[in-house]
Amino acid sequence: MGRLSTLFAPERVAVIGATDSEGSVGRAITSNLLESFDGEVIAVNPYKESALGLHCYDEVTSVESPETVDVAVVVVPPDVAVDAIETAGGAGIENVVVITAGFGETGSEGAARERELRAVAEKYDLNLVGPNSLGVMSTPVGLNATFGNEMATEGDISFMSQSGAFVTAVLDWAAERDVGFKDIVSLGNKAILDEGDFIAEWGEDPETDVILGYLEDISDGTEFIETAREVTQDTPIVLVKSGRTDAGATAAASHTGAMAGSERAYEAGLEQAGTVRVESVQQLFDYAQILSGQPLPEGDEIAIVTNAGGPGVMTTDAVGDSELSLAEFEDATLDRLGEVLPDEANIYNPVDIIGDAPAERFEIALETVLADDNVSMAVVVACPTAVLSFEELASVVVEQQQESGVPIATTLMGGKSVGAGQDVLSEAGIPNYFDPARAVDSLDVLREYRGIQAREFEEPAAFDVDRERAREILESATRRNTNRLGVEAMDLLDAYGIPTPQGDVVTTPSEAQAIADEIGDDVVMKIVSPDILHKSDIGGVEVGVSPENVRDTFEDLVVRARNYQRDATVLGVQVQEMVDLDSGTETILGMNRDPQFGPLLLFGLGGIFVEVLEDNTVRVAPVSEPEAREMLDDIESAPLLRGARGREPVDEDALVETVQRLSQLVTDFPAIVELDINPLVATPDGVQAVDLRLTIDQDEL
Ligand code: ADP
Ligand code: MG
């Protein structure tokens, strides 16, 4: 049993601010509770004798054994809410649902009030929902501690929503359909309890089969990923995350910062957490229904059985648009279908048993294809005819599904003739849709969830690195009073075992000459200045400088920097070994810190066209080896790295290791706000970090 089990299954609930004033929230809550709750409802209101037939206590402390009150629902005005919660906490009440609004959502006074509220909740270790919540529901005990106007019917979906209005809309919608719920919570401002807490709770709840959520943000991305990963092994989590773009995004100094914004952090974080993300409310509930009603398929191959050619083709098209594939039947299946079906029928997938098919013909066709080892799921598509009863067909489908254990969705295409059949199917947890694309899409989520369950989470590797040296480099920047670091900080990468070309940053032409002589070949020279973000843009990079030109190039580079910005701080010139770009590919490896999810790694095609091509992928760090490898698979230019057009493939393992090493660096140092290694040149012999740029937050050091 989870920590929140009494919140959802209380025996005594006190309404603090209970009233019978017409049209008030306090009245709605009290009356909703009285309507269906199995336990005791207690009214607290010092200004009232009674409310809706309940005696009103002055204080929750005046109630008999107040410590046995399981939940206090707070509906008093905001200026007295915190005191009321303090009293409830002091009385030993553990669960508090704060309906009252006027906190963080309303400006600075409200935000201050919310801080007070949080302090009180922490003092008493309260399980606090809200504030600014519509309330909570739990159907097994008839708990409706909300001010909505609909009580949910019983079911196995638990649902959380950051929008209270959306809860009421969903309840209204669900009342029309056969969608039932176990628990519902309106999260409100999430001062204490957030999505992670409810996911953890429902993960332990045997009565919750599917967790649904409507979220606008995630309070703690790291914790969310950790909790959800575990829960989703047994209980699917389906989420709508509304795309609230972050106005707070500051002008990024790195390519990674520009490309890896918060929307991508959510996308990556929710994926890494093992949640199924959906775009629409319809998908949210379609997926919930099929995930709770049908078993998971063993493979991705789908069989279609239909009495109508056109809809059969539509279904086939939908399969083409999904990640599923049409099953290829075994010979025995084809032989049998040939025997039992009329000559005009199509025995190949999609199986068309033609327009005059009664339910019995569906039965025999279904039984045959479901017995085929190549069939992992099926969709039954039927149009109404004079010889077909949808109700009979529904019974056939239910029986075949239950006997075979193969997941099925149906498309009974019709209106009024569907009714009775629909009930039979719903009862058995078989989803039915008018549109075959929805049926296929729903079956596809079973495949997706099976993949999530099959994932193995590996711990991120911990390489042997020189953390102290890295810290010194970051601190020396602080001493220079700069937040921007460039190639002068290349040793940072070296400290974490990320290969860099030979070279150094020097301040005089003769020192430059000495380095070039040491390298003993043509070199690359770059201007080093915190005021110059993109060196090549101002002619600050000279590639292939021969030994006799090193001194002159040094002078040229400094002049170009001065021409660009007269008072630019020039730290010196970097003299660097040439990297063979002919056999290599310029990639980018970077990090941007997301307010919710923390360090977000980006990997993609790099070089100077990086933001033009935008071929990259992101992951929340730290990443494990398989996750780092996935990043390579993700990008569209992966074939380029793997040796397209006769090129030699690059050293993939070295790339994967470098991604993990950077992951470790940015996880170890929260002070690194954003970072680009662009290019990270990948060659058949390994990788070389050729350029570096990062921004640090000195306060985090
Ligand atoms: P910036 O990104 O500030 O313009 P870079 O150091 O990334 O500066 O250099 C720009 C480009 O010059 C790189 O994308 C790469 O094509 C080339 N380049 C830089 N350093 C080397 C090197 N050591 N070997 C070969 N080419 C290099
Ligand atoms: Mg660069």
Side-chain angles (χ1 to χ4, degrees):
M1 279 300 222
R3 172 187 159 103
L4 304 179
S5 55
T6 45
L7 169 68
F8 290 115
E11 285 172 8
R12 304 183 80 199
V13 174
V15 182
I16 304 181
T19 173
D20 49 12
S21 304
E22 239 8 280
S24 70
V25 171
R27 181 190 172 107
I29 299 254
T30 315
S31 115
N32 279 341
L33 274 168
L34 286 171
E35 181 119 0
S36 57
F37 181 42
D38 294 346
E40 182 190 356
V41 182
I42 300 159
V44 177
N45 188 339
Y47 307 108
K48 292 259 179 195
E49 280 295 310
S50 69
L52 301 173
L54 296 173
H55 165 73
C56 285
Y57 293 86
D58 285 352
E59 290 260 25
V60 75
T61 41
S62 334
V63 175
E64 196 184 326
S65 321
E67 71 286 353
T68 67
V69 171
D70 298 301
V71 177
V73 183
V74 177
V75 253
V76 295
D79 51 331
V80 292
V82 177
D83 282 347
I85 294 160
E86 169 99 51
T87 309
I93 299 174
E94 289 171 4
N95 303 293
V96 178
V97 179
V98 188
I99 307 293
T100 310
F103 288 83
E105 79 283 7
T106 57
S108 62
E109 196 185 323
R113 191 177 286 135
E114 190 157 319
R115 279 193 295 277
E116 281 172 44
L117 171 98
R118 193 174 292 133
V120 168
E122 277 163 5
K123 174 168 153 197
Y124 296 104
D125 195 20
L126 298 177
N127 297 322
L128 183 140
V129 179
N132 188 26
S133 162
L134 180 88
V136 300
M137 276 187 187
S138 188
T139 55
V141 295
L143 177 75
N144 182 3
T146 75
F147 61 93
N149 46 20
E150 199 98 43
M151 173 62 181
T153 56
E154 208 162 335
D156 47 23
I157 298 171
S158 285
F159 172 51
M160 60 185 162
S161 172
Q162 210 168 330
S163 152
F166 186 61
V167 171
T168 61
V170 160
L171 285 170
D172 196 65
W173 177 90
E176 276 275 289
R177 294 161 179 80
D178 298 286
V179 179
F181 295 89
K182 160 69 174 28
D183 300 330
I184 295 179
V185 59
S186 152
L187 297 168
N189 296 1
K190 306 194 287 192
I192 298 289
L193 295 176
D194 63 28
E195 51 284 337
D197 298 297
F198 290 100
I199 285 175
E201 174 64 26
W202 291 327
E204 288 182 47
D205 175 14
E207 290 174 86
T208 294
D209 281 356
V210 183
I211 298 170
L212 297 190
Y214 166 85
L215 299 177
E216 288 168 356
D217 60 24
I218 284 179
S219 302
D220 181 341
T222 316
E223 187 207 274
F224 177 84
I225 291 179
E226 220 164 89
T227 310
R229 263 184 185 174
E230 208 168 301
V231 167
T232 198
Q233 293 298 304
D234 297 313
T235 312
I237 304 171
V238 187
L239 298 178
V240 186
K241 155 77 178 70
S242 75
R244 232 171 35 175
T245 47
D246 56 332
T250 46
S254 66
H255 292 294
T256 305
M259 296 185 295
S262 91
E263 185 43 37
R264 294 193 75 188
Y266 276 109
E267 205 180 300
L270 295 182
E271 215 271 325
Q272 285 172 264
T275 66
V276 175
R277 188 172 176 184
V278 298
E279 299 301 329
S280 69
V281 180
Q282 177 153 76
Q283 275 180 328
L284 191 67
F285 287 95
D286 280 358
Y287 292 0
Q289 276 178 297
I290 199 158
L291 284 163
S292 80
Q294 291 295 292
L296 295 181
E298 282 172 12
D300 302 345
E301 301 77 24
I302 188 167
I304 302 169
V305 178
T306 180
N307 67 349
V313 174
M314 287 162 67
T315 315
T316 308
D317 286 347
V319 171
D321 290 341
S322 74
E323 303 277 317
L324 304 175
S325 55
L326 274 191
E328 242 179 78
F329 297 143
E330 293 167 335
D331 290 343
T333 306
L334 293 172
D335 290 348
R336 172 101 179 114
L337 288 174
E339 266 166 44
V340 298
L341 295 180
D343 289 346
E344 302 77 23
N346 178 33
I347 58 170
Y348 297 95
N349 204 7
V351 181
D352 184 353
I353 62 174
I354 64 176
D356 66 349
E360 293 75 34
R361 200 184 293 162
F362 270 99
E363 179 169 26
I364 194 149
L366 253 185
E367 188 178 27
T368 309
V369 301
L370 293 177
D372 191 311
D373 282 341
N374 295 343
V375 172
S376 305
M377 55 188 105
V379 56
V380 175
V381 184
C383 290
T385 66
V387 290
L388 179 65
S389 146
F390 272 174
E391 194 174 357
E392 271 174 47
L393 174 60
S395 305
V396 161
V397 172
V398 169
E399 200 184 301
Q400 290 301 322
Q401 193 283 314
Q402 286 170 352
E403 269 175 24
S404 64
V406 172
I408 299 184
T410 62
T411 295
L412 301 186
M413 290 182 125
K416 65 181 194 306
S417 53
V418 175
Q422 172 75 63
D423 293 344
V424 174
L425 292 166
S426 297
E427 182 71 19
I430 296 176
N432 175 51
Y433 309 101
F434 182 89
D435 182 351
R438 259 174 88 190
V440 171
D441 185 45
S442 297
L443 287 166
D444 197 21
V445 86
L446 297 178
R447 172 202 57 80
E448 182 179 348
Y449 182 58
R450 188 198 58 211
I452 289 169
Q453 268 196 337
R455 289 207 300 207
E456 279 175 32
F457 293 109
E458 267 183 40
E459 286 300 313
F463 295 97
D464 192 11
V465 296
D466 192 345
R467 196 167 169 164
E468 269 323 295
R469 193 160 135 238
R471 174 175 299 284
E472 272 163 33
I473 294 165
L474 295 173
E475 278 170 354
S476 79
T478 307
R479 282 194 295 277
R480 277 194 287 119
N481 207 17
T482 179
N483 291 327
R484 295 252 167 95
L485 297 181
V487 290
E488 73 279 7
M490 285 294 247
D491 282 354
L492 186 65
L493 301 180
D494 193 47
Y496 269 67
I498 296 173
T500 55
Q502 191 186 343
D504 212 342
V505 177
V506 293
T507 50
T508 65
S510 51
E511 282 173 316
Q513 188 71 60
I515 303 284
D517 292 345
E518 226 173 85
I519 292 171
D521 203 342
D522 287 0
V523 293
V524 179
M525 296 177 69
K526 309 178 189 180
I527 193 75
V528 184
S529 161
D531 297 316
I532 298 169
L533 278 183
H534 301 287
K535 299 178 284 297
S536 40
D537 284 357
I538 65 130
V541 178
E542 284 292 341
V543 180
V545 182
S546 58
E548 60 275 17
N549 290 332
V550 167
R551 285 168 194 268
D552 288 350
T553 305
F554 185 102
E555 309 283 5
D556 289 349
L557 288 171
V558 175
V559 169
R560 282 177 211 160
R562 296 272 176 245
N563 286 345
Y564 166 71
Q565 186 185 321
R566 216 195 241 282
D567 60 348
T569 305
V570 174
L571 297 176
V573 168
Q574 185 190 38
V575 183
Q576 192 181 51
E577 182 190 351
M578 291 274 289
V579 170
D580 178 14
L581 290 183
D582 289 341
S583 72
T585 303
E586 292 192 57
T587 68
I588 179 171
L589 176 60
M591 188 274 311
N592 186 32
R593 206 164 283 275
D594 181 77
Q596 255 95 39
F597 285 97
L600 191 64
L601 295 180
L602 175 139
F603 171 75
L605 208 61
I608 51 174
F609 297 123
V610 61
E611 283 184 48
V612 179
L613 301 172
E614 281 241 24
D615 180 16
N616 55 56
T617 183
V618 300
R619 290 290 184 288
V620 176
V623 295
S624 62
E625 204 252 21
E627 283 176 306
R629 204 169 285 281
E630 251 177 45
M631 293 182 79
L632 259 65
D633 296 331
D634 267 7
I635 64 167
E636 277 169 42
S637 336
L640 208 67
L641 298 172
R642 294 191 167 134
R645 297 193 166 260
R647 283 164 63 97
E648 204 180 328
V650 306
D651 184 345
E652 203 169 306
D653 291 340
L655 259 181
V656 171
E657 184 176 320
T658 304
V659 173
Q660 292 168 267
R661 284 180 181 273
L662 184 72
S663 166
Q664 189 172 345
L665 174 66
V666 299
T667 310
D668 284 352
F669 291 99
I672 303 176
V673 179
E674 50 180 341
L675 180 149
D676 271 352
I677 302 174
N678 181 36
L680 173 72
V681 179
T683 70
D685 307 317
V687 298
Q688 294 275 11
V690 160
D691 187 19
L692 174 67
R693 175 181 312 137
L694 65 150
T695 309
I696 55 178
D697 176 355
Q698 307 193 351
D699 296 338
E700 291 282 343
L701 265 176

